[in-house]
Amino acid sequence: LRYAFYIVATNDIFDYIVLSIVIINSIFMALDGNLFAPEIIEALNISNYCFNSIFILEYVVKFIGLGPFLYYSDAFTYLDTLIIAFAILDMATPNEDTGVESTDKMRNLSSQLSFLRVFRIFRVIRLTKILRRLKSMRLIIISIKKALANVSYIICILIMFILIFQLLGMSPPNG
């Protein structure tokens, strides 16, 4: 059984299927909001459960197939595990728009844990996990990384100038 999971987990087609699901999920997350009709919001919630289930299934297949040592040898898998944990917590807490009767205590818990939905955006970072295998994409990512290091110094100097001029503007004029 583990060998079958290993074959699936190391298959490039499996990675490309997961990549396409992440892209589709990103599109659905971009559509998420309260501006739509209740039926569309309910459909988006159902799609979120479906995507979470698919990502949990992917995690299980790779964890069983590769084993814990090989699976966690890549730093991105820690992020995957964190995303899965937040997804399970998000699915376990009731939403206001599920239509299920809930007590005040449950509504309070739901409102306190509503920030967990923000962590869904980290799913987009998973795209870099798969795209970094491509040699040309790896070159682009390395170039962006080097460019950001140089730009960070310019941004620090710019922030320093803004703070200096802000302080000068706040001082009372000597007439």
Side-chain angles (χ1 to χ4, degrees), residues 13-43:
I13 295 173
F14 181 71
D15 283 339
Y16 290 127
I17 289 172
V18 171
L19 174 66
S20 61
I21 290 172
V22 169
I23 291 171
I24 293 168
N25 182 27
S26 300
I27 293 169
F28 273 74
M29 283 192 305
L31 293 174
D32 199 9
N34 294 328
L35 301 176
F36 299 110
E39 299 84 22
I40 296 174
I41 293 174
E42 183 64 27

Side-chain angles (χ1 to χ4, degrees), residues 2 4 7 28 77 87 97 104 114 118 123 151 156-157 170-171:
R2 183 172 177 187
I7 296 296
F28 273 74
T77 55
D97 47 348
D104 288 336
S114 63
V118 173
R123 292 180 189 163
V151 171
C156 288
I157 292 171
M170 289 174 55
S171 65

